[in-house]
Amino acid sequence: MVIKDFLIREIFDSRGQSTVEVGISTKDGLAFYSSVPSGKSRGSKEAAVLDFKSASSIKNIKKLSAVKGQNFASVKSFDDFLLKLDGTKNKKALGGNVMLGFSMSFARAKAFEAGEELSEFLHKEFFKDIPLKKEWSPVIFSNLINGGEHAENNLDIQEYMVLVDTSKGVKNSVKKLIYFYDSLGDLLKKKFRIPGILPIGDEGGYSLDFKDNFEPMVVLSDLIKKNGLAGSFRLGLDAAASSFYSGNRYIFGGRKLTTEKLADTYLSAFKKFPMLYSIEDPFSESDPEGFCSVLSRVKGNMLVGDDLTVTNSSLVEKYASIGAINGVIIKPNQAGTVSEAASAILSARLRGVKTVISHRSGETEDVFIISLGKASDSYGLKIGSPTRERMLKFNELLRI
Ligand code: PGA
Ligand code: ZN
């Protein structure tokens, strides 16, 4: 596959923030475009993000022009070329966002050349040993109540999710989720006596002040039971705890907690809410001991790394091996190329760590992650509430 030309264009994400779209053209006159989302609660080791001005500077364009006219046999060889061209540890020269845009567009071009669906192509390219299912039935991690940095309310926990089992049919499960999201909205309107539209956070979940960090769990558990969904809906949290960690303490519920105290808080939440299955980033990325202390004391629950692992295969390996995580978030833009995201997935699978393919809080219309999830038969798919711009990922899941 030979790249004839490319462009880097400024577009805006779901928060109205500037981000990049990368287009590449081939000698047959075809063009392939990909856009890159952006995160707000980011891990410190994520690939660097360049603003549009730096991304499209004369210097960067000149450097990137080296991809033109070259023949790349695989996504991996293309990504390796980009990595060499960048030459930095965190992709700060070319920009991890720019590199990912190139990498996804190249994968799309290669899939087209091979006459294959993107998921089929990615499967052959990276995940040959994993059986490719006709219909991918991930557990959908849907964030219905937003807090932390994604909302303007009093919740320290960033995301209160329902985990929807789709094994009995993806479409029906999505319909149930939409109904649940709407009935949650009705319930919250009554509970908080809000006559108009409910405030919404970055990922489409409701954003209100609650009595404490665990009241949303009571509301969600009760509604799941009331709607007779206990067989197919569970609960998950993304604490995004780096955002409330300061000076070796967690500022949680208006109190300063040690790692041990926060661990006890989570352990009692698992007891109090039997539907609670997973907690993502329960502790700060600089406090893996916290992860280990909870994971060693629960049975059958999932602790998920996100800021901790930043879609990096060595970090996944490291934290899986010390017993800090048994689940991991995969966000291609944390890694900065498709092949590095694929390698983080493989690293997780090798160690029995469940992978959850995830969007970012600032999203674009790009639905690449859905094909990546299907290609790797990932356990979960985290794509926000079934509403607004988030609906694009749900629809792509129904499509593929
Ligand atoms: P972000 O948050 O996309 O704003 O970084 C998402 C998450 O923490 O999972
Ligand atoms: Zn997270």
Side-chain angles (χ1 to χ4, degrees):
M1 160 70 52
V2 178
I3 297 176
K4 194 171 154 225
D5 209 351
F6 67 85
L7 67 80
I8 301 170
R9 173 187 282 150
E10 181 174 37
I11 61 163
F12 300 95
D13 69 16
S14 53
R15 279 191 284 252
Q17 306 278 323
S18 170
T19 185
V20 295
E21 176 172 82
V22 176
I24 63 170
S25 63
T26 65
K27 60 178 178 2
D28 314 311
L30 297 166
F32 301 89
Y33 296 89
S34 305
S35 57
V36 184
S38 46
K40 205 189 247 176
S41 70
R42 284 164 33 196
S44 66
K45 297 198 184 82
E46 292 193 19
V49 176
L50 286 194
D51 61 30
F52 174 68
K53 213 170 150 213
S54 321
S56 59
S57 67
I58 297 173
K59 192 172 132 219
N60 223 23
I61 300 290
K62 211 165 155 196
K63 236 183 184 185
L64 283 161
S65 294
V67 302
K68 287 195 214 170
Q70 298 237 30
N71 195 5
F72 300 102
S74 64
V75 179
K76 174 87 172 64
S77 64
F78 178 71
D79 288 348
D80 286 347
F81 184 82
L82 287 178
L83 287 173
K84 232 173 147 189
L85 209 56
D86 173 76
T88 68
K89 221 176 149 203
N90 68 344
K91 305 185 174 70
K92 66 172 189 265
L94 296 179
N97 51 339
V98 175
M99 290 168 71
L100 180 67
F102 269 94
S103 180
M104 291 193 294
S105 291
F106 183 80
R108 288 186 155 117
K110 280 292 274 180
F112 186 85
E113 186 185 55
E116 290 166 354
E117 295 279 348
L118 183 57
S119 54
E120 210 185 325
F121 169 77
L122 292 172
H123 178 258
K124 278 196 190 144
E125 191 90 350
F126 298 108
F127 309 109
K128 262 198 232 113
D129 295 339
I130 303 168
L132 180 66
K133 299 203 180 106
K134 206 163 174 282
E135 182 174 86
W136 178 40
S137 318
V139 173
I140 297 177
F141 287 58
S142 183
N143 175 13
L144 301 188
I145 296 178
N146 295 182
E149 296 192 10
H150 290 171
E152 309 230 327
N153 60 16
N154 68 347
L155 296 171
D156 299 312
I157 290 177
Q158 181 177 279
E159 304 175 18
Y160 297 81
M161 295 176 277
V162 289
L163 274 43
V164 183
D165 171 19
T166 67
S167 60
K168 294 208 175 92
V170 174
K171 191 166 158 189
N172 228 359
S173 309
V174 171
K175 274 189 187 165
K176 278 189 201 164
L177 174 61
I178 293 171
Y179 178 80
F180 187 84
Y181 173 73
D182 289 342
S183 56
L184 176 63
D186 292 341
L187 185 152
L188 293 176
K189 268 187 192 175
K190 268 191 212 131
K191 183 176 164 67
F192 290 94
R193 295 197 181 87
I194 294 177
I197 294 166
L198 285 169
I200 298 283
D202 287 355
E203 297 184 353
Y206 303 114
S207 159
L208 296 152
D209 282 338
F210 284 84
K211 209 164 64 204
D212 58 47
N213 281 322
F214 289 102
E215 195 191 12
M217 299 287 289
V218 178
V219 172
L220 290 169
S221 300
D222 288 351
L223 194 62
I224 290 175
K225 278 186 223 140
K226 189 175 156 228
N227 287 345
L229 293 167
S232 53
F233 278 43
R234 287 173 294 171
L235 293 171
L237 297 171
D238 179 1
S242 297
S243 69
F244 53 85
Y245 186 61
S246 153
N248 285 332
R249 291 287 184 275
Y250 293 92
I251 319 294
F252 190 79
R255 292 166 57 213
K256 277 191 183 177
L257 303 185
T258 58
T259 298
E260 294 73 41
K261 275 268 172 298
L262 186 62
D264 290 344
T265 306
Y266 292 134
L267 290 165
S268 18
F270 277 126
K271 277 208 186 98
K272 186 166 174 206
F273 304 103
M275 281 185 207
L276 177 60
Y277 172 63
S278 71
I279 308 183
E280 178 182 331
D281 281 346
F283 299 90
S284 153
E285 63 168 89
S286 56
D287 188 12
E289 296 78 19
F291 284 75
C292 295
S293 91
V294 173
L295 191 57
S296 64
R297 283 186 280 166
V298 289
K299 265 209 190 87
N301 293 108
M302 183 155 88
L303 283 205
V304 184
D306 173 17
D307 292 351
L308 181 76
T309 38
V310 292
T311 316
N312 175 297
S313 63
S314 321
L315 292 176
V316 172
E317 180 185 342
K318 176 177 167 184
Y319 291 122
S321 70
I322 63 165
I325 52 165
N326 56 359
V328 69
I329 289 290
I330 300 292
K331 295 168 171 169
N333 77 324
Q334 286 181 323
T337 60
V338 173
S339 35
E340 286 167 286
S343 125
I345 294 174
L346 290 169
S347 174
R349 279 190 86 101
L350 200 64
R351 290 160 185 88
V353 170
K354 291 185 167 113
T355 52
V356 180
I357 306 291
S358 169
H359 68 164
R360 299 305 304 245
S361 54
E363 260 304 331
T364 74
E365 59 270 48
D366 198 303
V367 289
F368 188 97
I369 57 164
I370 309 297
S371 291
L372 183 65
K374 181 175 179 183
S376 54
D377 192 29
S378 275
Y379 171 79
L381 175 66
K382 189 181 171 203
I383 47 177
S385 289
T387 183
R388 309 186 314 174
E389 78 285 345
R390 306 288 147 179
M391 216 64 231
L392 299 177
K393 284 2 175 229
F394 284 95
N395 286 339
E396 179 69 357
L397 177 63
L398 300 180
R399 234 174 254 130
I400 65 169

